[in-house]
């Protein structure tokens, strides 16, 4: 089975580059497909008058046992970098709590 993904954008329309980055990151999760059915991804633009805009990326892992595991938020000026850090945390969580796949 394949791990699915739903992605939502808040504060901006999203982009093909962000979609591609998220899909690439999701590929790293496929080795956990025996226990993981999908993840919900949210990328939010946080506008700031005093500094550069930043992106908040967060995801929830959806386990086959219907358990929802929220991952820590990741914030960066580059949405793709924020996604990478968020998925890094998800991979570590799966390796630590659920075995290597």
């Amino acid at each position: 089975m394949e791990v699915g993904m739903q992605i939502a954008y808040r504060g901006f329309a999203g982009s093909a580059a962000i979609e591609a980055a998220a899909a690439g990151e999701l590929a790293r999760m496929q080795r956990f497909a025996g226990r993981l059915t999908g993840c919900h991804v949210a990328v939010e633009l946080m506008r700031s008058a005093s500094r550069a805009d930043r992106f908040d990326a967060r995801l929830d892992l959806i386990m086959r046992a219907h358990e929802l595991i929220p991952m820590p938020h990741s914030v960066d000026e580059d949405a793709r970098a924020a996604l990478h850090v968020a998925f890094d945390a998800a991979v570590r969580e799966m390796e630590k709590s659920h075995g290597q796949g």
Side-chain angles (χ1 to χ4, degrees):
M1 293 191 151
E2 193 171 299
V3 177
M5 176 176 64
Q6 292 181 346
I7 186 164
Y9 300 104
R10 297 197 172 103
F12 71 114
S15 72
I18 294 171
E19 291 277 335
E25 295 293 343
L26 181 67
R28 298 192 304 154
M29 303 301 291
Q30 295 303 327
R31 67 183 168 136
F32 304 111
R35 291 179 304 277
L36 181 66
T37 61
C39 63
H40 294 159
V41 179
V43 182
E44 182 174 357
L45 174 61
M46 301 185 311
R47 296 215 179 264
S48 174
S50 61
R51 63 178 193 210
D53 293 344
R54 299 171 63 89
F55 292 91
D56 178 306
R58 55 196 176 274
L59 55 104
D60 296 324
L61 302 178
I62 305 157
M63 308 306 294
R64 292 218 176 269
H66 306 289
E67 178 184 12
L68 183 73
I69 303 173
M71 293 289 99
H73 292 229
S74 172
V75 178
D76 196 283
E77 292 178 8
D78 181 338
R80 292 170 295 185
L83 278 169
H84 182 74
V85 172
F87 273 95
D88 275 350
V91 168
R92 283 192 307 275
E93 174 64 24
M94 291 299 295
E95 289 174 344
K96 177 183 76 166
S97 300
H98 302 282
Q100 290 290 323

